[in-house]
Each structure stands twice: as C-alpha cells, then as structure tokens.
Amino acid sequence: MLLKTNRDKKYINLAINLAKDRIGLTGTNPSVGCVIVKNNRIISIGQTGFGGTPHAEVNAINNASEKVKDSTLYVSLEPCSHYGKTKPCTNKIIKSKIKKVVYSVDDIDTRSSGKSYSILKKKKIKCVKNKLNKRGSELYKSYFHLKTRDFPYVTGKIACTKNYLFKNNSKYISNNHSINFSHFLRYINHAILISYKTANTDNPKLNCRLNGLEKYSPIRIIIDKNLKIKENLYLVKSSKKVKTYVFYNKKNYKYNRLKAKGIKLIYCPIDENNNLDLIFIMKKIKSLKINYLLVEGGKFLTKEFLNHRLFNCFYLFKSNKISSFKKKYKILNIIKLIKKNFSKSNKVNTYLENDIILRHYN
C-alpha cells in the first residue's frame, strides 16, 4: 500500500499531466487539471474547458462517478476564490463537502493568490499546498509570464539540415514525424507569425493539419513594412475565413485592396534600425488577447527576435539530410544566439527516426 505522501504525489502528478494537455487552449484562463479520489480510488478527473470554462474543479465534481463528499481533490493550481466569468471554485468545493484539497502551486492572480488556502481551512477542509511545486511551477511558467508581462508567450522554431543550412533541395527539410510536431506547435498556439518574405516565397497555409485538430489552426500574423505581400497568396485569399493581421509602416496601392479581402492592417512604427518595432508588435498582439505566439520566421526574423530576447522557448529542428545549397543559408550565427539566449535544452522525444528536435529554454 502506498504511503500517504506518495499517494499525494501520484495524484497531483496526474492533475499536472491533465493540465499540461490543454496548455494554450484555455483562452485567458490557466490550464488546470483536477483529480478526485475517494477510498483510494479515482472517482473523477477534470480539465479546464476549451476557451477557459468551466474550470477543472467544477468539471471534476460535476462528472464524478459517485458523491464526492469526504473525498480528496487534487488540483494543479490553487483553486480560484473570486468571482469572474464563473463563481469561485472554493464555493463549489465547500458545498460539495470535500474533505481535503491538495494543490501544486499558488495562483499568481492577486484575486485568489493565497486566499483559497485560508478560505478552505476556515471551513475545516484539510489543505496541502506546494505539492510537487517545482514541476507545477515549470508547467505554469507561461501563465506566470502572461500575468506579469505585456508580451505574449513566444515560441520560436527553425529547421536546418545536418550541415546547418535552412534551405534544402526538397520541399521539406524535416521528416514526417518532425512535420507533425510542427503542426502540434501550431495547434497549441493562438497565433503564428511570419515575414512577408516567407509568405511570398513559400505561399504557406499556416494551418494545423493534424487529423481532428484543424479547427484549432492559429490566427495568422504577417510582418510587412512596405506592404509587399502578393495578393494572390493563400493567406490573402482565405483572410475572410481565418483572422489575418498584417503589421505595416507605409501604405501603398495595396492597402485598400488587402483590407477589402479581409486583412486586418495595423500601423506599426519603425525602430532605430529602420525595421518594424517588434516591442510595439508584441504589446499589440497581447492586447488582441493572443497569449501564445509561434514564430516560424526565416533567418532574418528569427535573428531579430533573438537579438531582442523575445523568445520564451525555442525549437531547433535538425534533420539528417545534407544540403548542397550555398553557405549564405547557414544558420550558425542563429545557433550561437540561441545558446546565448537560453541556459537549458533538452531533446524532444517524439520518435523522429534520425531527426533531432532540441527545445531551448531558461
């Protein structure tokens, strides 16, 4: 029989895994996982609903296989105790006569932070906090960032060959497994950002093409200082169906035509290097309630984001192919900047045959 502390770790681990499953899919609310245990049996699990509601605790209590009275509720984040779009989860927990609550991390939201613990204790509910706090804090790194910064949580991605070139003789550098992981990144991010050069050269769709997840394709954002984007691109033609933003600085004859096609054009000032101001862009994107941003930039845009230290994590896709393209397509300077920006890295275990994906983070 497991010791009580080991049982707590086991179930809080499960709650954290449930929360991890929906990172990026819960709107402005954090992704939370919940497990309810009674007589050493799991009687329910819950996750934050897509878009942010219902909350995980409410889903778990409502969907329990039996009455939750005298049970233990395990949750990845401190339950909310404030009124917002929904009633406080603490009210639901108290009303359900749950005997014990275990959670991993204190909420950073000042409306609930530390308050839920006191509320539950006053109602004679046993409360244990900071269980597997290190793992929980890692899970909520992006949520904490979003609560304290004016920028979205930005993930970078670039692919290269075995000899560090980002151009290859075939259409794709990576194999099918790596491509699927790339589409997974699109699935968990609210928006995807590229430059007009990438748009004009590749004519991409920028959607998620994983079976069943197509509806979670990201909003498209294009950086285009002088409105040089081609009007016959898929991104332009489909902009009335999929929200598409273009950040620009100078108008030309295309402005009204792009607007008529459904493109949402946002004026952006230039910085001291005569480029579009990335700080302005990041703040504007966050104000549009885009919390998770994926940047699939080319060499120049990726370098600019790295120089401004705007990436919160970065994925380097390295294939097993050798490219015969010119040396100007080498990304060794980007590799150096990645190592300068991030102190940690790990391999993403996705059974990629001979491809490697390195996740860089701090």
Side-chain angles (χ1 to χ4, degrees):
M1 188 173 180
L2 284 172
L3 293 171
K4 188 180 287 187
T5 53
N6 287 339
R7 282 206 305 270
D8 284 353
K9 285 182 180 179
K10 172 186 172 182
Y11 294 127
I12 206 73
N13 243 326
L14 177 54
I16 289 171
N17 287 340
L18 287 166
K20 191 175 181 181
D21 187 49
R22 289 207 177 160
I23 288 287
L25 304 174
T26 57
T28 56
N29 285 342
S31 177
V32 176
C34 182
V35 179
I36 300 177
V37 177
K38 189 173 182 179
N39 298 325
N40 295 326
R41 291 184 301 106
I42 294 174
I43 62 169
S44 191
I45 62 172
Q47 295 167 288
T48 306
F50 291 109
T53 57
H55 289 187
E57 299 94 319
V58 173
N59 279 331
I61 291 169
N62 288 345
N63 297 323
S65 60
E66 59 184 88
K67 289 182 179 179
V68 298
K69 182 183 177 184
D70 295 328
S71 64
T72 300
L73 182 144
Y74 295 89
V75 63
S76 56
L77 185 68
E78 178 182 5
C80 71
S81 58
H82 64 275
Y83 284 86
K85 292 180 181 177
T86 62
K87 294 177 182 178
C89 287
T90 49
N91 287 11
K92 184 79 171 177
I93 292 167
I94 293 163
K95 188 177 179 180
S96 301
K97 296 183 179 180
I98 285 167
K99 181 173 64 175
K100 179 181 173 184
V101 173
V102 182
Y103 64 88
S104 179
V105 185
D106 285 326
D107 194 349
I108 199 171
D109 191 324
T110 54
R111 296 173 296 177
S112 286
S113 185
K115 296 172 186 174
S116 300
Y117 184 87
S118 300
I119 289 168
L120 295 171
K121 293 284 277 185
K122 283 178 182 177
K123 293 295 181 178
K124 309 298 182 188
I125 296 172
K126 188 176 180 182
C127 208
V128 178
K129 60 180 180 176
N130 296 323
K131 185 62 67 174
L132 294 186
N133 179 269
K134 187 175 180 181
R135 185 163 186 247
S137 296
E138 179 64 29
L139 171 72
Y140 289 111
K141 191 177 283 187
S142 61
Y143 170 62
F144 295 157
H145 168 89
L146 293 169
K147 277 291 179 183
T148 57
R149 300 289 302 276
D150 294 329
F151 298 173
Y153 188 86
V154 185
T155 298
K157 167 193 167 290
I158 199 166
C160 69
T161 60
K162 191 173 183 178
N163 55 333
Y164 295 102
L165 275 74
F166 72 95
K167 287 282 186 183
N168 190 42
N169 305 82
S170 58
K171 183 179 179 181
Y172 294 112
I173 290 175
S174 305
N175 64 26
N176 287 333
H177 299 292
S178 297
I179 291 166
N180 284 339
F181 185 76
S182 180
H183 284 280
F184 172 77
L185 291 178
R186 292 179 180 182
Y187 158 65
I188 63 172
N189 280 277
H190 295 163
I192 182 169
L193 183 148
I194 63 169
S195 69
Y196 80 91
K197 288 181 180 179
T198 298
N200 286 349
T201 303
D202 299 342
N203 191 17
K205 291 185 177 180
L206 301 185
N207 57 353
C208 173
R209 295 194 284 278
L210 296 176
N211 287 338
L213 301 179
E214 294 88 351
K215 66 179 180 179
Y216 298 106
S217 292
I219 293 166
R220 295 93 59 97
I221 302 173
I222 303 155
I223 290 181
D224 186 7
K225 179 182 168 185
N226 297 313
L227 293 182
K228 291 183 177 181
I229 190 168
K230 296 175 182 176
E231 295 177 66
N232 63 342
L233 297 180
Y234 174 85
L235 296 178
V236 177
K237 290 179 183 177
S238 61
S239 58
K240 285 187 178 178
K241 293 181 180 178
V242 183
K243 197 174 285 184
T244 307
Y245 294 96
V246 169
F247 283 91
Y248 76 98
N249 180 258
K250 291 182 180 178
K251 285 184 180 181
N252 60 22
Y253 69 95
K254 290 182 184 177
Y255 179 87
N256 288 327
R257 284 156 58 161
L258 291 170
K259 195 173 180 181
K261 290 176 186 287
I263 298 282
K264 300 180 187 305
L265 294 126
I266 300 175
Y267 172 82
C268 177
I270 56 173
D271 62 18
E272 65 276 7
N273 297 316
N274 204 35
N275 298 318
L276 290 185
D277 188 338
L278 291 180
I279 305 302
F280 173 92
I281 291 172
M282 290 300 100
K283 288 182 178 180
K284 185 63 181 177
I285 288 172
K286 179 74 183 296
S287 76
L288 295 169
K289 299 194 182 306
I290 295 170
N291 286 335
Y292 293 90
L293 177 69
L294 175 64
V295 177
E296 287 194 8
K299 189 175 179 181
F300 175 78
L301 189 60
T302 299
K303 190 176 177 182
E304 282 295 291
F305 267 78
L306 285 166
N307 282 331
H308 284 80
R309 291 189 173 271
L310 291 173
F311 288 123
N312 297 100
C313 70
F314 194 95
Y315 290 89
L316 176 66
F317 287 61
K318 188 180 177 185
S319 81
N320 197 44
K321 299 172 184 174
I322 298 289
S323 176
S324 59
F325 270 68
K326 296 177 181 178
K327 286 185 178 179
K328 70 175 183 177
Y329 295 112
K330 286 252 184 194
I331 61 163
L332 291 176
N333 57 341
I334 286 177
I335 303 293
K336 288 178 182 177
L337 281 172
I338 292 169
K339 290 178 179 178
K340 187 177 178 181
N341 273 243
F342 301 102
S343 58
K344 302 173 186 175
S345 67
N346 64 279
K347 283 185 181 180
V348 177
N349 186 9
T350 51
Y351 309 101
L352 300 171
E353 297 171 357
N354 292 320
D355 278 15
I356 294 170
I357 297 178
L358 279 176
R359 176 180 179 261
H360 295 267
Y361 62 100
N362 288 318

